[in-house]
Amino acid sequence: SRHMFTDPRTSERKVNSIAVLRSPRADGKEMLVLQVEYPDGDHVSDQDKIASLSTFIAVMHYLATVPWLSKDVIFITTPSTSKNHAALDRWLLDYHHTPLLSDDHMFRGGEIWAAVCLEIPNSAFDSVAIAFEGDNGDFPNLDLVNVAVHIARRVGLKAVLPRPQKRSDFWAR
């Protein structure tokens, strides 16, 4: 489906494209969000978006075939000319604040448990860095991180996770 919005920076009308993967094991109360930018300009930097979009489509296809998926997944493509994730911010605002009985047919998939934004360079690479953060700096549910590591290894990439930071807690002394 389409989500129309006005870019706050340029006042132009833009479109987010949305696809929904309904998991047969899901109860419709929880979902994951996967986002990628699509090239919507004639810019050289948009070439980097092609690699991200290709990976995004491969992940969509892969997740549609796995039997263990227990959450619905919303796949969102946003225009690359909307800077600082303005397109995703607008969708998220509308998702939470559009009345259920409005003419805007906003898909509702339950509580958002996790979101992933794919950004992949167009140049060759042999590893992928997987950055993650939970609420208030805590570790998130690592299921999604494990899926990312599994997919990376399956396609022959080395998954690089961040090293834990040492906490300088006054009370730990």
Side-chain angles (χ1 to χ4, degrees), residues 21-33 62-74 109-114 141 143-144 147:
L21 173 61
R22 293 274 193 191
S23 170
R25 296 183 59 200
D27 60 5
K29 295 180 183 177
E30 302 170 344
M31 70 171 186
L32 306 173
V33 174
Y62 174 71
L63 290 178
T65 64
V66 297
W68 45 259
L69 189 63
S70 62
K71 291 179 178 41
D72 294 332
V73 182
I74 293 183
E111 184 177 347
I112 298 172
W113 274 78
N141 180 328
D143 291 345
L144 195 57
V147 168

Side-chain angles (χ1 to χ4, degrees), residues 6-119:
T6 302
D7 189 321
R9 190 174 52 88
T10 63
S11 298
E12 293 177 326
R13 293 288 290 164
K14 302 278 185 161
V15 177
N16 292 330
S17 298
I18 301 168
V20 179
L21 173 61
R22 293 274 193 191
S23 170
R25 296 183 59 200
D27 60 5
K29 295 180 183 177
E30 302 170 344
M31 70 171 186
L32 306 173
V33 174
L34 185 61
Q35 179 268 341
V36 69
E37 291 181 342
Y38 66 85
D40 70 333
D42 224 5
H43 310 288
V44 174
S45 63
D46 279 344
Q47 293 302 315
D48 283 347
K49 307 303 180 203
I50 301 299
S52 298
L53 194 56
S54 300
T55 303
F56 179 82
I57 292 168
V59 170
M60 285 175 65
H61 176 72
Y62 174 71
L63 290 178
T65 64
V66 297
W68 45 259
L69 189 63
S70 62
K71 291 179 178 41
D72 294 332
V73 182
I74 293 183
F75 298 97
I76 303 174
T77 58
T78 59
S80 63
T81 55
S82 290
K83 300 300 177 200
N84 300 323
H85 296 287
L88 188 59
D89 289 345
R90 185 65 222 190
W91 173 82
L92 192 57
L93 181 72
D94 288 349
Y95 179 83
H96 289 293
H97 297 291
T98 301
L100 291 175
L101 300 176
S102 75
D103 290 336
D104 185 10
H105 302 288
M106 175 67 76
F107 169 78
R108 301 277 189 252
E111 184 177 347
I112 298 172
W113 274 78
V116 175
C117 299
L118 286 177
E119 295 179 10

